[in-house]
Amino acid sequence: MSQKGKAPPSPELVGRFKKYGPSVRAALSTMALSTNVVSPMEPRPEEIIREGWLLKKRRRKMQGFAKRYFRLYSSGLLSYAYHPDLSPRDQIDLSSAVISNKSHRLDIHIDSDNSLFHIHCESSAQFDQWMSDFRRFVHVRDSTLHRSSIRSPIVRTDLKPSALVKEMDSNIHELREQVSIIRSEEAKLKSPSFLKIIREKEQIKDMLSSKEKDSIFSMFRKNSHSDLNSETNTNTTKSTTPSTSDKSHTHSRLDNIGTILQLLSEQCEQLAQMVAELEAPKTKSSFLSHNRSFSASQSISDGSVVWFDAPDSFGEGGEELVLDHEGDTSSLKSDNSIEIDDSSDEAHVEELIQVSQATSVQPSPVAERPTHVFTRRTALPARMLYDEGSLFSMLKKNVGKDLSAISFPVTFNEPLSLLQRLAEDMEYNHLLDEAVANTNPIDRMCLVAAFAVSGYACTKLRSGRKSFTPMMGETFEDVRSNFIAEKVSHNPLIMACHAHGEGWEYWATSSGRTKFWGKSLEIAPSGTTHLKIGKDHYEWQRPSTFVRNLMMGTKYLEHCGQLIITNTTTNARSILEFKETGYWGSSPNVVTGAVLSPSGNVDAKLEGTWHEQLTQVLDDAHFKLLWRAHPFQKDATEYYGFTSYAITLNEVTPDIADKIAPTDSRLRPDIRALEEGKIDWADTEKIRIEEAQRERRRNNGIPDARWFKQVGEDYVYSGGYWEERESGWKSTARLW
């Protein structure tokens, strides 16, 4: 007997059902009774759409990212576990979550009422794949429709055209996926076979339900007859009216496509404006551009999008925030950027400068802050015009001599002095600010070790040329880290430097000896580097540097040996081993180490490479990133292998043009000529400057260092440089 409101199954269907054997009929009965009829746009919840390893930020602070195995199910459930074979650790329902991302950093943030996932992808392809799957379960928010209830994020207009093109390509790819889904779903809904399957399942369920009601086992059923009728009627309504649900889904997807098209049109307008600005002629006064953000220490800010939390009352279901460049910008200034608005004609914008604690440079007590904004250069005035000469032929003629006393042709040089090379060690001085803020002695030692290793990253592409040897009394300053360096001894060649920041002080004595081994050249540094943070006083000496393949093959540079950092206050140590790669080495520039307690116990393990990054090993599957090197520019090899930071060292910026000492390396005419590609002039000036130094030495003897004094085997800063800089240089020697 059929249930009320249900059509009896056709005789043909009953006959087909009786043809099957008992086992098949039992399986069909189980399937019909336990399986709900679903729309094709509602996939089965047990199906896995995507799975794989991702980096997830650990729950506790200062513990970095760890690898976790993520699974995304067709029901919209995202879970992760320590291992694919282990049970899930936590999960989020994407249908009720808010997803934001930073595509240029490959970061994804998923926020729900109960959990928060910070995910980092290891490649752009992986990022695009996961975001494409996440977008199946979220609604793209059109921020222009809800400005009264939510503050919209801003699209940074200082992005490069390549970044905008990449974002446009991603949106176009998403649009194609949405269109493909709609077409496939419409085809399924119009298929007669799909509708026939739904009717047959309903008839089988009705037939089995009527038979079971007459059996003795019906007394054990929990649902009453009225409840069964109510449930069946509900299922019947859902199954017999798929067009209504499908129509709403189709409208939702069409709305998403409209939003994406709107975003594409806005990005095209931005790209057109940027191309027009790039093609427009530039003048000397064009330091500022509309709605640009400049980093206080670099030209590029860390983030491109500022996100705000949406109110709980906004919409239902999951959401992905859509960028809108017309939002409120009054409170979106980044802590480490300078926001410039051209709406007014103010000549001074220093009140807009905000210095980030992580990337700021604390000024000297006597040095003034910059009074205007400028952008640092990203390339040298000229590329390399000549290959370096044969270093092997020069060494053959000077066997047993100290290379610092040999006058090399200018083609062997790079357009920086050895004093400027010392300043490159301060590129990652933000690690010292982090060490000051971290009071844990183990974590602080790890950060100091990362800073010591970071100074070698700039040497990755620099194996064929040497820096200019400074003149006696030559100096170099860098206000970004309150850095001052001076040549303090002529023979042997010794240099000293000093820098300081909020809560830390750094000084070092640098010298070295060279050894020629036939196929390689060893540079054995001497001198001690000091770092003081509060009561902690750290000391270390550098390992040897080798230039390989002098006779034939491609020259390359590597650092080998131990770097031991000692906290003289507590006797804790950090031992870093710079491993030799060898000719067939598959993992070059490897650095391993450990942090030892005063009693000799291993408190932490470190590993990484000196040209790329250094991490703290938490366990076999987890690590904490301490430092990562800034990427080289694509054409770095055409600019002497310089990093972006090194390119700025010989630049005379407006904030220091009338303040640097007359003895500063930036003012050396031979270095300036080589930088501009004037090789003959550089060679002539180099010979003239060296001869002038010999003449001064013959007439007046060797002068003493002015800004440093010798204490034991080290040279320490005696003070007075920044005060003299403030009052104007009145008693400085003429070196060139």
Side-chain angles (χ1 to χ4, degrees):
M1 180 177 179
S2 63
Q3 297 178 8
K4 184 178 180 181
K6 295 286 185 177
S10 63
E12 179 183 358
L13 180 63
V14 174
R16 287 170 54 190
F17 183 76
K18 290 182 178 180
K19 289 181 181 179
Y20 297 113
S23 59
V24 176
R25 289 202 301 269
L28 290 173
S29 301
T30 304
M31 179 188 69
L33 291 174
S34 61
T35 304
N36 292 325
V37 178
V38 297
S39 169
M41 288 186 290
E42 297 176 357
R44 298 178 62 84
E46 64 271 19
E47 295 177 355
I48 298 177
I49 296 178
R50 184 169 297 280
E51 59 182 333
W53 292 98
L54 294 173
L55 292 176
K56 178 186 175 296
K57 192 172 185 180
R58 296 169 65 89
R59 296 181 177 180
R60 296 184 180 180
K61 295 182 178 180
M62 303 298 293
Q63 288 192 349
F65 287 82
K67 279 192 174 182
R68 296 290 184 262
Y69 197 83
F70 281 81
R71 285 191 175 97
L72 176 61
Y73 296 90
S74 57
S75 60
L77 194 67
L78 177 67
S79 66
Y80 77 90
Y82 289 142
H83 191 271
D85 299 334
L86 300 179
S87 58
R89 177 75 172 173
D90 198 359
Q91 60 187 18
I92 283 182
D93 186 2
L94 297 183
S95 61
S96 60
V98 176
I99 301 177
S100 61
N101 68 81
K102 295 182 179 180
S103 58
H104 67 289
R105 299 184 62 176
L106 306 181
D107 290 339
I108 303 174
H109 309 284
I110 305 176
D111 189 3
S112 69
D113 295 337
N114 301 322
S115 299
L116 177 63
F117 290 175
H118 297 289
I119 301 172
H120 178 75
C121 301
E122 296 180 326
S123 65
S124 299
Q126 188 183 53
F127 174 86
D128 295 336
Q129 292 169 358
W130 281 94
M131 281 303 303
S132 176
D133 291 331
F134 289 161
R135 291 187 178 108
R136 300 185 184 184
F137 308 99
V138 298
H139 300 292
V140 182
R141 174 185 302 174
D142 187 356
S143 59
T144 60
L145 301 178
H146 302 279
R147 287 178 184 162
S148 60
S149 61
I150 182 171
R151 305 175 70 175
S152 305
I154 289 179
V155 173
R156 286 277 301 278
T157 58
D158 61 341
L159 292 177
K160 295 182 179 180
S162 59
L164 282 176
V165 172
K166 181 179 179 181
E167 188 175 353
M168 291 173 63
D169 182 69
S170 176
N171 290 328
I172 293 173
H173 178 70
E174 180 184 352
L175 177 61
R176 290 173 178 172
E177 289 184 349
Q178 297 280 358
V179 173
S180 177
I181 292 175
I182 291 177
R183 289 177 177 175
S184 62
E185 289 172 351
E186 289 181 349
K188 288 183 179 179
L189 292 175
K190 295 178 180 179
S191 173
S193 60
F194 173 74
L195 298 176
K196 184 177 180 180
I197 291 174
I198 293 179
R199 289 194 297 268
E200 289 182 353
K201 285 187 177 182
E202 284 297 319
Q203 291 174 355
I204 292 175
K205 184 185 293 186
D206 295 341
M207 181 178 62
L208 295 175
S209 299
S210 61
K211 289 185 177 181
E212 286 192 358
K213 190 179 71 171
D214 297 334
S215 66
I216 189 173
F217 296 104
S218 62
M219 67 180 65
F220 299 105
R221 293 180 59 88
K222 293 183 179 180
N223 295 334
S224 62
H225 182 72
S226 60
D227 292 339
L228 184 59
N229 282 339
S230 176
E231 180 181 357
T232 306
N233 290 335
T234 302
N235 291 336
T236 304
T237 303
K238 292 182 180 179
S239 61
T240 56
T241 60
S243 59
T244 303
S245 175
D246 297 336
K247 185 176 181 180
S248 63
H249 280 285
T250 302
H251 282 298
S252 175
R253 295 189 183 278
L254 289 175
D255 292 340
N256 291 349
I257 293 175
T259 304
I260 296 172
L261 286 173
Q262 179 65 25
L263 181 59
L264 285 175
S265 63
E266 294 175 359
Q267 292 175 347
C268 288
E269 293 177 1
Q270 294 178 17
L271 184 58
Q273 294 176 0
M274 293 183 66
V275 172
E277 291 179 2
L278 290 174
E279 294 178 351
K282 297 183 180 179
T283 62
K284 294 183 179 179
S285 61
S286 61
F287 291 109
L288 310 180
S289 60
H290 292 281
N291 298 326
R292 293 293 300 269
S293 296
F294 299 102
S295 172
S297 61
Q298 298 175 357
S299 301
I300 302 175
S301 178
D302 291 338
S304 62
V305 179
V306 182
W307 295 104
F308 287 85
D309 293 335
D312 295 338
S313 60
F314 179 78
E316 294 181 356
E319 297 169 354
E320 180 186 356
L321 301 181
V322 176
L323 307 184
D324 180 14
H325 69 281
E326 298 179 356
D328 182 15
T329 63
S330 60
S331 62
L332 300 185
K333 294 182 176 64
S334 173
D335 290 338
N336 64 341
S337 64
I338 304 170
E339 296 291 338
I340 302 172
D341 187 4
D342 287 347
S343 59
S344 64
D345 294 329
E346 298 181 9
H348 301 286
V349 294
E350 60 268 18
E351 63 271 12
L352 299 178
I353 299 176
Q354 298 181 354
V355 183
S356 169
Q357 181 180 359
T359 60
S360 66
V361 176
Q362 298 296 334
S364 170
V366 298
E368 295 181 354
R369 288 178 179 269
T371 58
H372 51 276
V373 179
F374 56 89
T375 56
R376 294 189 179 272
R377 65 185 184 183
T378 58
L380 297 178
R383 300 174 185 266
M384 290 190 305
L385 300 179
Y386 294 91
D387 294 334
E388 70 273 14
S390 174
L391 183 60
F392 179 73
S393 62
M394 291 293 298
L395 294 175
K396 286 195 304 180
K397 300 176 183 178
N398 299 277
V399 175
K401 295 183 180 180
D402 185 3
L403 294 184
S404 62
I406 302 173
S407 180
F408 283 82
V410 74
T411 53
F412 283 87
N413 291 103
E414 62 184 14
L416 287 178
S417 73
L418 287 172
L419 298 177
Q420 292 168 312
R421 173 62 190 89
L422 291 179
E424 289 189 76
D425 293 339
M426 304 306 299
E427 178 176 359
Y428 300 95
N429 63 75
H430 68 273
L431 294 171
L432 302 182
D433 296 330
E434 296 179 18
V436 171
N438 199 322
T439 58
N440 184 289
I442 300 175
D443 293 340
R444 176 176 288 183
M445 177 65 86
C446 290
L447 290 169
V448 172
F451 172 77
V453 173
S454 69
Y456 293 95
C458 62
T459 65
K460 177 184 177 182
L461 303 178
R462 292 156 72 177
S463 60
R465 300 175 185 267
K466 63 183 290 289
S467 302
F468 280 79
T469 302
M471 302 294 108
M472 189 63 192
E474 184 175 339
T475 61
F476 178 76
E477 69 169 54
D478 190 353
V479 295
R480 289 174 289 185
S481 56
N482 300 305
F483 176 89
I484 171 64
E486 182 184 11
K487 178 179 178 179
V488 296
S489 174
H490 180 70
N491 191 14
L493 173 61
I494 302 176
M495 297 165 293
C497 63
H498 178 271
H500 68 274
E502 186 67 32
W504 59 267
E505 184 181 10
Y506 169 93
W507 68 98
T509 303
S510 178
S511 183
R513 295 176 291 105
T514 56
K515 297 180 181 179
F516 179 45
W517 297 100
K519 295 182 180 181
S520 63
L521 175 69
E522 178 184 2
I523 304 172
S526 60
T528 305
T529 302
H530 300 262
L531 175 64
K532 192 171 183 179
I533 301 177
K535 297 181 179 180
D536 294 328
H537 186 175
Y538 303 91
E539 295 180 355
W540 66 88
Q541 293 181 337
R542 300 174 180 273
S544 295
T545 298
F546 291 85
V547 181
R548 308 290 191 185
N549 293 343
L550 288 178
M551 296 181 62
M552 62 180 62
T554 302
K555 289 193 293 291
Y556 67 93
L557 184 145
E558 65 177 352
H559 311 282
C560 306
Q562 283 191 343
L563 189 153
I564 302 176
I565 304 173
T566 303
N567 186 340
T568 59
T569 305
T570 63
N571 291 326
R573 294 182 301 158
S574 175
I575 302 177
L576 299 171
E577 181 72 26
F578 288 68
K579 297 185 178 296
E580 183 177 356
T581 302
Y583 187 81
W584 302 105
S586 58
S587 301
N589 310 333
V590 173
V591 177
T592 59
V595 175
L596 306 180
S597 66
S599 59
N601 297 325
V602 177
D603 290 334
K605 293 183 178 180
L606 306 174
E607 65 178 27
T609 56
W610 55 257
H611 73 285
E612 189 175 22
Q613 66 180 24
L614 188 71
T615 60
Q616 178 183 350
V617 180
L618 304 178
D619 52 46
D620 293 339
H622 307 94
F623 64 93
K624 174 183 177 182
L625 182 64
L626 300 173
W627 158 77
R628 175 172 291 165
H630 299 145
F632 282 83
Q633 297 183 9
K634 292 182 179 180
D635 55 355
T637 54
E638 300 181 17
Y639 291 103
Y640 303 91
F642 284 177
T643 62
S644 299
Y645 186 82
I647 287 175
T648 66
L649 290 177
N650 204 49
E651 180 185 18
V652 181
T653 52
D655 62 323
I656 63 172
D658 57 346
K659 293 189 176 294
I660 56 176
T663 56
D664 196 280
S665 297
R666 297 180 181 90
L667 303 180
R668 279 189 62 161
D670 51 351
I671 296 180
R672 183 65 58 191
L674 179 61
E675 182 182 83
E676 295 175 355
K678 303 174 182 178
I679 305 299
D680 295 336
W681 180 32
D683 202 15
T684 302
E685 288 296 314
K686 182 175 182 292
I687 295 174
R688 182 185 65 82
I689 292 172
E690 292 174 348
E691 185 58 35
Q693 178 176 241
R694 297 187 188 99
E695 184 67 22
R696 288 194 302 270
R697 190 165 63 250
R698 284 192 296 265
N699 296 335
N700 304 319
I702 300 176
D704 295 330
R706 183 173 182 184
W707 310 114
F708 291 83
K709 62 181 179 181
Q710 188 171 7
V711 179
E713 297 182 355
D714 295 329
Y715 283 82
V716 298
Y717 178 58
S718 57
Y721 178 87
W722 301 106
E723 291 78 7
E724 182 78 11
R725 181 181 188 269
E726 179 67 19
S727 61
W729 306 101
K730 301 177 181 179
S731 58
T732 55
R734 180 180 176 85
L735 301 181
W736 29 77

